[in-house]
Amino acid sequence: MNIFQASNCPAWKFLNDFCVIVLGYFLKKKNLLPYLEFLQEENGLQAIVPVVNSNGATCFEELSKENSENLFLDSKAFFSAKKFFLPNREREFLFEKKAASFEIHETIKHRHKVLFGLRSCDLHALNALDKVFLDFYGYDSLYRNKRNTVLTIGLECLKPEKNCFCESFGTSKPDFFDLFFWEKKDGFFVEIGSPEWEKLYCKKFFEKTRENRNSQKENCSLKLETKNIAELLEKNFENPVWEKESEKCLSCSSCTQICPTCYCFAIEDFFIPGTEDSERYREWDSCQLQQFTRINAGIFRQSRKSRLRQFVMHKLSFFRQQHNVHLCVGCGRCIDACPAKISLVEIASQIQKNPIGAD
Amino acid sequence: MHQFESPLKPELAEIIRVKEETPFLKTFTVRFLDKKKQKQFSFIPGKFVMASVFGFGEMPISISSSPYQKDSLQLTVNAVGNISRQMHLLGKGSVVGLRGPFGRGYPIQKFRKKNIIFFSGGCGMASMRSAVYAVNAKKELFGKLFLFHGCKSPQELLFAEDIAKWEKEQNFNVFVSVDKPTPDWKGNSGFVTDLIDKVDFPVENTFVLMCGPQAMMNIAIEKFRKHGFKPEQIFASLERLMHCGIGKCGHCNIGKEYVCVHGPVFSGSELEKMHLREG
Ligand SMILES: Cc1cc2nc3c(=O)[nH]c(=O)nc-3n(C[C@H](O)[C@H](O)[C@H](O)COP(=O)(O)OP(=O)(O)OC[C@H]3O[C@@H](n4cnc5c(N)ncnc54)[C@H](O)[C@@H]3O)c2cc1C
Ligand code: SF4
Ligand code: SF4
Ligand code: FES
């Protein structure tokens, strides 16, 4: 039985989940770049990798001759890989005027990709997005078509950063990957996560191994008690903490933009100047902006308090009530990015210390 | 790799009639260009469609026609902003886009043998008319019927002809109130919510369906509750900003509910648990 067959077998999957020893391969560190280039050249995949970009920011980019020297493997990238599934701006349709009617052209565009270097939190973030865009009162095609053509390779974190709190959600345990690279001396232990992994197999660089996934990861110093947090916040909708914390908020929407699970978008039409044709675009939107809930009768979330509360409660309460997972994976990016130094961990902890409506 | 079709793709539909209802409201009778689509299209009153005016955008609009009307459907549109004002400039023969129907409508099947109070304000009459049509078409299945409707002035009274017809029907008690009456107005004046304290209606075995401005509905729910209605006897349609209609874009979110898929119609018991103010 080869590993691929084994990875499909339920009994094996069970063992895999509960044992430390798993089947896998070894990849030498020095072979990482050649391996990624192999995936690009031999397997025809577009390789997306974490790099330090020309502005000095860490983000995901397509691997190229120019950026291959700037691979960033020390910790999670500041910008997540969200934009490869939900681009900042994307065309949905072209409406072509034809006599008295229209012809509607759908945007169909995809390239088979491999996303390398997703951290455990990033993988869980994708799973949260899947809940919304693959199976919640139907799917969204723009997301689904991209998701279906992306393979994921996760990468273990050894040292959490100061604002990481993934352990609090259990999102520090990798899941939902095709391959996962565990950090080892001089290389990676390659764990197999899905039947799709064969498309990432490389005879030349994958070596047989007696290594296993034994993690050396340090614990996060930032912690949040997440047990019953959804219910607690629901009861604390009117807690004075919201007002107090929101006084600092600038409504800049950095938090929602940087968050790997924030997905809200707006849809707008634009004419192509000089024609009667138009295009419909989808664009990131943010609950932190006033116009997000503006209708003719008024604005539902007029106050900063209500908007900051929406962000935190969607993350820690509402989504959990809908989908049974939190819409936060504890990556800490929103805390890193906030110019006002607002932290959802701090807000939630304050409410836990001084709850209202406690029975 | 198999490509999944977009659930956001509008279907083309032709405007076959335009009726000016009031200075700001027009009813558009539309029919899908695709005959099969038109034949298959069915809905429950209270549901809405996403209507596209190409190049201007897409907006949620309730279906105001009867669910038994099969060869076309009607949208009654208030000219308030970019898309709706542009829609008002369109005439017979123009082509628009439609998606839907979306959301959860009024659970009319549940109301068999029960009394029904239709309660609407202003533009809310659009979705309410569809519900009244649906119930009225099978009147023998229901108990006593009441309609309360309020609008700003007599000239803003929507569907005046329909209302006049319902007034004459047996077992149908119709009360219309205008906020600012003109000298020739013979009906009630003042807020429609004031009528709740003036009119006699049964409470037991009665359901209230509501659609209109949030402020009106808040007061109305409070008053009906005072008259002894339980929350589960009340159904109200909420209005929120909507961009997708399929539970994805996040605009219509209130707590764990998405108004576009879980609503727009919610029961009073559901509403009690929702953060309607700034939620
Ligand atoms: C479930 C539901 C049913 C509705 N039924 C009707 C109806 O039958 N007749 C009718 O005239 N109106 C109805 N509305 C309100 C209607 O959708 C808005 O008046 C319309 O979207 C205004 O668009 P606009 O571009 O003209 O206005 P603008 O203010 O220029 O709109 C800008 C953007 O905001 C959105 N928007 C603005 N106001 C609203 C609003 N109140 N609700 C939702 N989105 C809004 C628009 O769709 C557009 O994307 C309904 C709304 C909802 C949620
Ligand atoms: S990043 Fe900070 S300041 Fe900006 S909107 Fe979010 S919480 Fe407010
Ligand atoms: S809310 Fe903050 S910590 Fe949670 S997933 Fe989003 S960016 Fe990361
Ligand atoms: S309208 Fe987009 S989620 Fe409801």
Side-chain angles (χ1 to χ4, degrees):
Chain A
M1 182 153 73
N2 70 23
I3 292 179
F4 171 55
Q5 284 163 339
S7 70
N8 269 332
C9 156
W12 183 81
K13 248 187 141 14
F14 178 81
L15 284 172
N16 183 31
D17 282 348
F18 292 95
C19 301
V20 190
I21 298 163
V22 283
L23 302 169
Y25 293 102
F26 192 80
L27 176 73
K28 290 200 180 83
K29 274 230 163 100
K30 69 170 181 14
N31 284 337
L32 176 64
L33 192 59
Y35 168 62
L36 293 170
E37 284 166 348
F38 160 88
L39 290 178
Q40 224 164 9
E41 282 148 27
E42 304 291 320
N43 288 10
L45 295 166
Q46 188 186 15
I48 310 293
V49 296
V51 295
V52 183
N53 73 8
S54 49
N55 298 326
T58 52
C59 62
F60 286 83
E61 277 183 5
E62 179 172 1
L63 179 66
S64 66
K65 286 270 163 312
E66 294 74 49
N67 65 17
S68 63
E69 310 235 302
N70 304 333
L71 275 192
F72 178 71
L73 305 175
D74 304 348
S75 57
K76 71 170 185 287
F78 179 69
F79 291 99
S80 77
K82 170 169 83 171
K83 67 172 180 190
F84 292 97
F85 302 94
L86 301 170
N88 307 48
R89 190 167 190 267
E90 182 174 22
R91 192 177 84 171
E92 285 183 346
F93 303 105
L94 164 69
F95 304 122
E96 195 187 350
K97 180 97 188 177
K98 280 269 168 82
S101 189
F102 297 86
E103 205 168 292
I104 305 178
H105 306 272
E106 218 172 299
T107 300
I108 294 175
K109 185 175 65 176
H110 68 260
R111 268 176 79 186
H112 288 261
K113 290 186 179 63
V114 54
L115 241 66
F116 166 75
L118 296 176
R119 303 292 168 160
S120 181
C121 60
D122 294 329
L123 291 163
H124 283 271
L126 261 180
N127 176 52
L129 293 179
D130 285 353
K131 302 228 177 256
V132 178
F133 289 97
L134 297 185
D135 193 15
F136 180 66
Y137 295 87
Y139 64 83
D140 167 55
S141 59
L142 285 179
Y143 180 90
R144 188 173 186 176
N145 289 331
K146 287 192 202 69
R147 189 73 172 96
N148 282 349
T149 51
V150 169
L151 296 162
T152 53
I153 303 180
L155 178 59
E156 186 192 11
C157 291
L158 287 181
K159 202 171 154 32
E161 292 171 283
K162 104 170 178 293
N163 290 329
C164 292
F165 60 109
C166 50
E167 278 149 21
S168 303
F169 288 111
T171 47
S172 48
K173 183 178 178 291
D175 206 347
F176 318 110
F177 51 82
D178 294 309
L179 289 181
F180 195 84
F181 285 17
W182 297 85
E183 292 273 1
K184 296 289 154 200
K185 198 167 172 289
D186 304 325
F188 304 100
F189 171 69
V190 180
E191 184 186 341
I192 289 156
S194 83
E196 298 279 309
W197 81 281
E198 281 207 324
K199 295 176 189 151
L200 301 169
Y201 178 68
C202 175
K203 200 170 168 199
K204 198 155 113 206
F205 299 126
F206 280 13
E207 300 165 17
K208 288 222 171 74
T209 183
R210 291 182 148 273
E211 287 272 10
N212 59 50
R213 59 187 179 187
N214 259 346
S215 176
Q216 308 294 320
K217 182 174 172 292
E218 289 175 27
N219 289 340
C220 298
S221 51
L222 188 62
K223 289 188 172 60
L224 174 67
E225 176 51 73
T226 55
K227 193 167 168 254
N228 296 335
I229 186 101
E231 297 77 7
L232 181 79
L233 291 185
E234 189 67 55
K235 285 189 195 143
N236 279 270
F237 196 73
E238 300 298 346
N239 196 301
V241 167
W242 300 117
E243 180 72 52
K244 195 179 113 239
E245 285 294 313
S246 67
E247 273 165 17
K248 296 185 267 182
C249 180
L250 310 164
S251 296
C252 66
S253 80
S254 301
C255 46
T256 59
Q257 293 193 43
I258 205 73
C259 177
T261 63
C262 269
Y263 58 82
C264 293
F265 59 86
I267 303 176
E268 260 186 292
D269 281 14
F270 297 90
F271 273 105
I272 301 173
T275 73
E276 287 186 81
D277 303 340
S278 57
E279 292 170 303
R280 180 161 291 171
Y281 278 91
R282 168 190 297 198
E283 212 169 356
W284 285 1
D285 205 343
S286 170
C287 61
Q288 295 310 293
L289 308 175
Q290 243 184 5
Q291 90 256 2
F292 191 77
T293 55
R294 191 198 68 88
I295 65 163
N296 291 288
I299 298 168
F300 288 103
R301 287 185 218 114
Q302 178 93 43
S303 67
R304 264 185 241 285
K305 172 185 104 183
S306 62
R307 299 198 295 276
L308 184 63
R309 179 174 58 194
Q310 171 67 17
F311 172 70
V312 177
M313 288 200 56
H314 195 200
K315 299 284 158 201
L316 302 181
S317 182
F318 304 153
F319 199 81
R320 164 85 199 194
Q321 295 178 51
Q322 276 164 351
H323 298 286
N324 229 2
V325 296
H326 294 282
L327 190 60
C328 176
V329 295
C331 71
R333 287 182 174 100
C334 57
I335 311 174
D336 295 337
C338 179
K341 302 215 165 11
I342 294 172
S343 151
L344 83 169
V345 176
E346 180 58 30
I347 295 178
S349 311
Q350 281 190 38
I351 291 178
Q352 283 167 333
K353 271 184 219 127
N354 289 306
I356 55 166
D359 299 324
Chain B
M1 175 67 67
H2 175 70
Q3 283 291 328
F4 290 90
E5 263 231 351
S6 178
L8 296 171
K9 189 175 177 177
E11 294 273 343
L12 298 174
E14 186 187 4
I15 297 176
I16 53 177
R17 203 161 46 245
V18 183
K19 180 163 182 268
E20 219 159 300
E21 305 275 2
T22 73
F24 296 106
L25 281 152
K26 284 185 182 178
T27 295
F28 298 86
T29 307
V30 294
R31 182 189 291 150
F32 289 101
L33 295 187
D34 181 354
K35 286 202 179 79
K36 210 171 114 208
K37 173 81 201 174
Q38 180 62 52
K39 230 172 137 181
Q40 287 168 350
F41 190 89
S42 70
F43 70 97
I44 291 164
K47 284 190 178 235
F48 63 95
V49 293
M50 293 299 287
S52 285
V53 183
F54 297 116
F56 293 85
E58 204 175 31
M59 57 181 174
I61 298 290
S62 312
I63 307 168
S64 63
S65 48
S66 163
Y68 301 113
Q69 177 177 328
K70 285 292 179 197
D71 58 340
S72 62
L73 55 147
Q74 287 178 320
L75 308 175
T76 303
V77 178
N78 200 357
V80 290
N82 282 350
I83 311 165
S84 51
R85 287 215 303 257
Q86 187 59 31
M87 180 122 182
H88 270 235
L89 299 180
L90 302 181
K92 187 171 182 271
S94 293
V95 172
V96 294
L98 296 182
R99 293 193 282 131
F102 293 123
R104 191 174 59 160
Y106 300 104
I108 292 177
Q109 339 68 278
K110 272 207 207 161
F111 305 150
R112 292 199 165 196
K113 299 210 174 82
K114 313 280 185 206
N115 311 309
I116 302 179
I117 300 177
F118 303 98
F119 197 97
S120 64
C123 206
M125 188 68 205
S127 82
M128 201 52 82
R129 182 174 75 156
S130 179
V132 176
Y133 274 158
V135 168
N136 220 15
K138 310 241 156 116
K139 226 169 145 188
E140 62 287 356
L141 298 177
F142 302 91
K144 290 201 180 97
L145 303 181
F146 294 81
L147 170 72
F148 292 84
H149 177 65
C151 58
K152 286 206 183 95
S153 65
Q155 66 157 344
E156 279 169 76
L157 179 59
L158 189 54
F159 306 133
E161 291 162 30
D162 286 304
I163 292 173
K165 221 166 60 208
W166 297 331
E167 270 176 338
K168 289 194 197 95
E169 288 188 26
Q170 262 186 5
N171 199 19
F172 203 155
N173 306 290
V174 178
F175 305 92
V176 177
S177 187
V178 300
D179 302 349
K180 293 189 205 96
T182 46
D184 56 341
W185 175 251
K186 293 190 192 69
N188 300 296
S189 60
F191 293 124
V192 59
T193 45
D194 297 341
L195 291 175
I196 302 173
D197 300 325
K198 292 180 190 156
V199 175
D200 254 349
F201 47 78
V203 175
E204 218 159 286
N205 282 322
T206 305
F207 285 94
V208 183
L209 313 190
M210 238 180 242
C211 188
Q214 184 78 54
M216 177 206 83
M217 296 201 293
N218 291 346
I219 299 173
I221 291 176
E222 212 186 295
K223 291 203 170 194
F224 279 116
R225 297 277 283 122
K226 268 198 196 129
H227 280 264
F229 279 85
K230 294 196 195 76
E232 56 271 24
Q233 286 174 278
I234 301 172
F235 291 87
S237 176
L238 295 188
E239 192 181 6
R240 282 296 183 278
L241 183 60
M242 291 183 184
H243 277 213
C244 73
I246 56 169
K248 306 281 177 274
C249 77
H251 284 91
C252 68
N253 179 222
I254 309 176
K256 67 178 173 44
E257 317 285 357
Y258 284 85
V259 177
C260 67
V261 290
H262 301 126
V265 175
F266 291 95
S267 74
S269 0
E270 289 164 329
L271 291 171
E272 277 189 342
K273 293 191 201 102
M274 287 164 76
H275 309 293
L276 291 179
R277 262 200 76 242
E278 296 211 309

